[in-house]
Amino acid sequence: MMMGKDKNRYGQYFTIEAIADFMVSLIRHDRSASVLEPSCGRGVFLGQLEKYGFNNISAYEIDPALNPPYPYVQYRSFVSSPLDERFDVIVGNPPYIRWKNIEPELKSELEDSSLWKRYFNSLCDYLFIFILKSIEQLTENGELIFICPEYWMNTTHSRSLRDYMIANGSLSEIFHFKDAALFEGVTSSYVVFRYVKSVHNAGIDLYRYNQKGKPSVQELQQKSCFDFIRIPQFRQGERWVLASEEDRMLLSAFEQECSKRSDDLFSPVDLYRLGDFCDIGNGMVSGLDKAFRIKDVSGLNDGEKSHLIHVYKAKDLQPFYNISDSYYFFMKEEISENQFQIKYPSVYAQLSACRDELSKRYSYGKDLKFWEFAFPRNESLFRRQEPRIFVPCKERISHKNYFRFAFADESTFPLQDVTGILKKPDCNEDIYYILAYLNSSRVFHWLIYNGIVKGDIVEFSEAPLASIPYRPIDWDNDAEVAIHDEVVNNTKQYIATKDIGILEMIEQNINDLFHV
């Protein structure tokens, strides 16, 4: 759910006038068209509709406290409004609320809705019913123009909504604003889309916002703040990837190479995934890194040194290797404060200097001592005596064509801004092969379209990493085994020498594997 200072219990995020003006300008119907704003808020869209000369306007608003100054506003919920009403145009900024955050009375309303019961469940969001019910209430060739987060375009639980939309019409334009600051305090990536009922366009005009900050009305009207490409129309049963035909073909070919072979021609494609071969865990949380980081190890006694852990943070990582590191004090011993001060005097002095800040850490429901990590998440995983791969939990890719999957030895721990990847016991591929594979251009290309992306930030928590298609080695194929071994050797050599010429060899190794 997008967060802003104007958020209330109805999931309201108020649209800036420039965006409302732009969205109304996208309407193709003439000024006599019947228009609905299903959640009008303070009335910014209504003002723009009147400015553009529309005079057959209806509007709903569930929150009478907003009191938009338009006599045709009905203070009721769109979800329960008459389903047999028809409109030529529906435009607006629908509410976005995750199921767990929906107010009880709104949940009851959804549970009574025939449309909700037919298409959705408790994994779905309040936004979905606004999109689907709007389409139901459009006339033939009617237009739906909404601004909303883009997450529903590729999540599993929104598939029924996407399939419904493709079955009943098509998108004509999508304006992808990524993480531009159109709402106060909002960090989600969002889109404006225009959808036409009963019309099946062959392609979609995709506009990607290429500026920082809020656009002006003039920039939007002239589309000078967008990069443009035409993409194929979406199909039923697929996630909506905002990619060109060429890129979609590359993604499809990549996934095909990572698919499990089946003798059944009619069975759905099943992919090998990284999570099938690796254990993945987010790093441990100290709650206040500056308190636990030990800058001068030489000043510690032997007992203090025995509780040091070798640590990589996100800033320490580069593709394949680390550029810096640090040591942190980490202890789970049951001990009184007096005993702690006696046994670990230098660390006690350092932690005591930050005691007030440490006391304000989120405690995860525990009686947390000030010398303890707030949440030693996945500690048992990282105690395993085997090498691992680290990657920053979040990576901005606006000016990069790589991610930072880095090798770490068996004694190194990730902190909260890093996610760790370790081989499962039955995985036969070498960790250096997995490292090279994850740093390959094929995986990068797949992730920028299929990873958990918010604006230009890709998120690498456990679930999205586990979903990455994986290319295992056919150990009965001598050519594949030879490529695997060459990848391993070249990767080790690159980490040792940092010779960038070896990167080209590694990339070629991966390409060779996909063409065996």
Side-chain angles (χ1 to χ4, degrees), residues 208-222:
R208 290 196 177 102
Y209 190 65
N210 59 20
Q211 306 292 319
K212 293 183 178 180
K214 298 178 181 179
S216 68
V217 173
Q218 184 178 10
E219 287 176 322
L220 290 168
Q221 296 287 1
Q222 296 177 352

Side-chain angles (χ1 to χ4, degrees), residues 489-503:
N489 290 332
N490 284 335
T491 302
K492 289 179 178 178
Q493 187 178 359
Y494 175 68
I495 293 173
T497 66
K498 313 299 188 294
D499 179 355
I500 59 174
I502 299 174
L503 288 179

Side-chain angles (χ1 to χ4, degrees), residues 280-294:
I280 302 167
N282 297 124
M284 303 196 304
V285 181
S286 74
L288 188 65
D289 284 357
K290 69 176 184 180
F292 292 90
R293 183 182 179 187
I294 306 299

